[in-house]
Amino acid sequence: MDRNEHLNKNTIIKAVIDGTDLSKAEQDHLAECGGCRSEIDRFKSELDTLEQKADITAPLPTRRPVLPEKENYSFRLFRPIFAAGLTALMLVAFIWWPNGGIPVYEETTAQILLEMEADERLMTDIEELEGIALSGIYMDESEETEDLMEDEFMDFLIPTDNGSVI
Amino acid sequence: MSDQNHQITILAENAMAGNRVSIEQLVDIFHQDIFRLVYYKTRTRMDAEDITQEIFIKMMKNLHRLKSPNKFKSWLFSIAYNHIRDYFRKQKMLGVFGLNAGVKDFNPEDQDTNNPDEDLLKKEFQDKLFEFIEDLSRWEKEIFILRFINHLKIREVAAVLKKNESTIKTHLYRAIEKLSRNNELRDLLTGDAG
């Protein structure tokens, strides 16, 4: 740009927005040219008037914003810290707890032997029950032996004269 | 940092710590600015009042998210800007279902004074200004309002809209260039009208 050449409209607008954006030659010209400076001032003054008028013509609010009751801001501030702490604690527990805190039942030899004995007892009971319909307790209460039961039963089925079994 | 900016920073710090008085003071400082921003976007006082109320409630609820108290002003305007954008999206959605009448026209009763001549001049200026703003592109509009209606600095506008300063300057340049060609509005500014 020629030093003596006046700033064009586009450069004037650029200067209005931010004078530091002008090139060195434009700034040099502006420093010496009163005409261009007054053009910029006139434009700036118009924009200032626009700002003032926009303020004046806008209505004023009739009511002030009403804010809700106070909340627990301190907790809000510390909530992320609290959440982070809790997560860290759970992570540590997960790492340190055997099997990640999941319960696992380990069978020892003694436990296995006990279970085998219990199983054996159960099988014995089952076998006894298969042989005698009534358990030992009921047999004692009836005060009758297995043999007598059989004789009487046979006599009932095939009665004899003297009552003896054939 | 200017005295006012310093004061706002301290108030913002206290507000973040839950100080109710500081929160209320911040509302007092920015109430009119936010209302004006909303009013120039919605063009009705009623909606502007309701939206302003919602913006300050949002501000209060989100204070813990404010990272730099010295950027409180930009942060608050960002909340306002996003809230207004949501409002228009909602209006648009309602419009699709025929549930609203779209953007309301300017209501002259919003600003009646006891002086009819003054009211007429105000209305004329505002009509021309709204007309001019309406003709701007989306970003030119947003930036023009923040810069000249809300008096934000270019740096602050960039922070509110999350754009770099040179982008802001480019859009601002286009908006001012359009203004330079709008003789009707310029006549009202220079007092040559009529």
Side-chain angles (χ1 to χ4, degrees), chain A residues 10-22:
Chain A
N10 293 346
T11 316
I12 298 277
I13 294 172
K14 257 170 80 177
V16 166
I17 294 168
D18 189 351
T20 60
D21 287 345
L22 298 184

Side-chain angles (χ1 to χ4, degrees), chain A residues 134-165:
Chain A
L134 286 173
S135 69
I137 299 165
Y138 297 116
M139 291 298 286
D140 292 343
E141 279 179 357
S142 69
E143 292 176 350
E144 286 172 356
T145 63
E146 200 178 331
D147 296 337
L148 280 171
M149 280 284 286
E150 278 180 8
D151 291 343
E152 266 185 31
F153 186 64
M154 290 306 288
D155 194 37
F156 170 72
L157 286 175
I158 311 158
T160 52
D161 290 340
N162 56 4
S164 63
V165 180

Side-chain angles (χ1 to χ4, degrees), chain B residues 4 23 25-26 29 40 42-43 47 69 79 85 90 99 115 117 122 125 136 141 144-145 153 174 181 183:
Chain B
Q4 206 209 357
I23 297 171
Q25 279 180 295
L26 286 169
I29 292 171
Y40 271 94
T42 61
R43 300 184 192 182
D47 285 353
I79 290 179
R85 198 179 52 183
K90 221 178 277 174
L99 296 171
N115 187 337
D117 290 341
K122 277 184 177 180
F125 172 77
L136 297 174
K141 197 183 295 180
F144 186 86
I145 290 175
K153 295 182 181 79
R174 288 180 193 148
R181 286 189 274 117
N183 291 328

Side-chain angles (χ1 to χ4, degrees), chain A residues 9-11 13-14 16-18 20-21 39 42-43 46-47 49-71 73-74 76-77 79, chain B residues 16 18 20 23-24 27-28 31-32 35-36 39-40 45 49-50 53 56 60-61 64 110-111 122 125-126 144 147-149 151 154 169 173 176-177 179-181 186 188-190:
Chain A
K9 188 182 153 191
N10 293 346
T11 316
I13 294 172
K14 257 170 80 177
V16 166
I17 294 168
D18 189 351
T20 60
D21 287 345
E39 183 64 17
R42 194 181 59 79
F43 214 151
E46 273 184 38
L47 290 170
T49 310
L50 184 137
E51 288 191 52
Q52 286 162 14
K53 283 201 169 189
D55 273 3
I56 298 164
T57 53
L60 292 171
T62 54
R63 58 186 159 92
R64 185 185 177 283
V66 180
L67 300 178
E69 283 307 302
K70 190 179 177 181
E71 289 181 41
Y73 290 102
S74 49
R76 273 173 173 266
L77 283 171
R79 195 159 53 185
Chain B
M16 284 170 77
R20 177 79 184 199
I23 297 171
E24 296 288 353
V27 173
D28 288 335
H31 176 205
Q32 277 195 32
F35 174 81
R36 198 183 316 117
Y39 176 75
Y40 271 94
R45 174 188 260 163
E49 303 241 27
D50 292 344
Q53 164 80 47
F56 279 103
M60 195 178 118
K61 286 186 174 171
H64 64 285
D110 279 349
Q111 51 181 14
K122 277 184 177 180
F125 172 77
Q126 211 158 37
F144 186 86
R147 175 67 190 87
F148 294 113
I149 308 294
H151 322 301
I154 288 172
K169 282 178 187 173
Y173 171 87
I176 294 175
E177 202 276 323
L179 176 69
S180 73
R181 286 189 274 117
R186 283 187 76 185
L188 290 173
L189 296 173
T190 52

Side-chain angles (χ1 to χ4, degrees), chain A residues 14-34:
Chain A
K14 257 170 80 177
V16 166
I17 294 168
D18 189 351
T20 60
D21 287 345
L22 298 184
S23 68
K24 176 80 173 61
E26 287 165 344
Q27 286 185 20
D28 286 348
H29 171 81
L30 204 55
E32 291 173 5
C33 180

Side-chain angles (χ1 to χ4, degrees), chain B residues 19-84:
Chain B
N19 186 312
R20 177 79 184 199
V21 177
S22 298
I23 297 171
E24 296 288 353
Q25 279 180 295
L26 286 169
V27 173
D28 288 335
I29 292 171
F30 290 106
H31 176 205
Q32 277 195 32
D33 290 341
I34 297 296
F35 174 81
R36 198 183 316 117
L37 170 69
V38 183
Y39 176 75
Y40 271 94
K41 298 281 283 180
T42 61
R43 300 184 192 182
T44 61
R45 174 188 260 163
M46 285 273 280
D47 285 353
E49 303 241 27
D50 292 344
I51 295 169
T52 304
Q53 164 80 47
E54 289 162 11
I55 288 167
F56 279 103
I57 289 174
K58 220 173 197 178
M59 173 208 86
M60 195 178 118
K61 286 186 174 171
N62 288 284
L63 268 170
H64 64 285
R65 289 186 182 170
L66 173 62
K67 285 169 190 160
S68 314
N70 59 338
K71 288 179 182 164
F72 177 82
K73 189 179 176 183
S74 306
W75 177 76
L76 177 62
F77 272 88
S78 293
I79 290 179
Y81 171 75
N82 290 325
H83 195 79
I84 296 165

